[in-house]
Amino acid sequence: RIVDFSELCEPLATYVASAARELRRQRLVAGAMSVHVEPNPYDDHPYDNSIPRPLPWPTAATGELIQWACASL
């Protein structure tokens, strides 16, 4: 069970790094992202939360995308 949002940053960073590689492979950039958090459906307090985030500038840089994704948590 994850109780601290900082524990979400590592798996999120792995996913974002993969997405950034795909952006670069296709010679594209991202201008926005959405971070979706979904807990265990059997939890006593279920919720569903999505955080849309426009980026300050279009990019495919892994570090920048990870930084902005983790800051969204």
Side-chain angles (χ1 to χ4, degrees), residues 2-25:
I2 295 175
V3 293
D4 185 0
F5 281 114
S6 65
E7 293 179 47
L8 290 173
C9 194
E10 185 176 342
L12 177 59
T14 300
Y15 184 82
V16 170
S18 175
R21 276 192 304 275
E22 186 64 20
L23 283 170
R24 289 189 301 275
R25 188 183 74 74

Side-chain angles (χ1 to χ4, degrees), residues 42-60:
Y42 303 107
D43 196 355
D44 292 337
H45 305 288
Y47 67 93
D48 188 10
N49 199 4
S50 182
I51 304 151
R53 181 179 183 129
L55 302 180
W57 51 83
T59 187

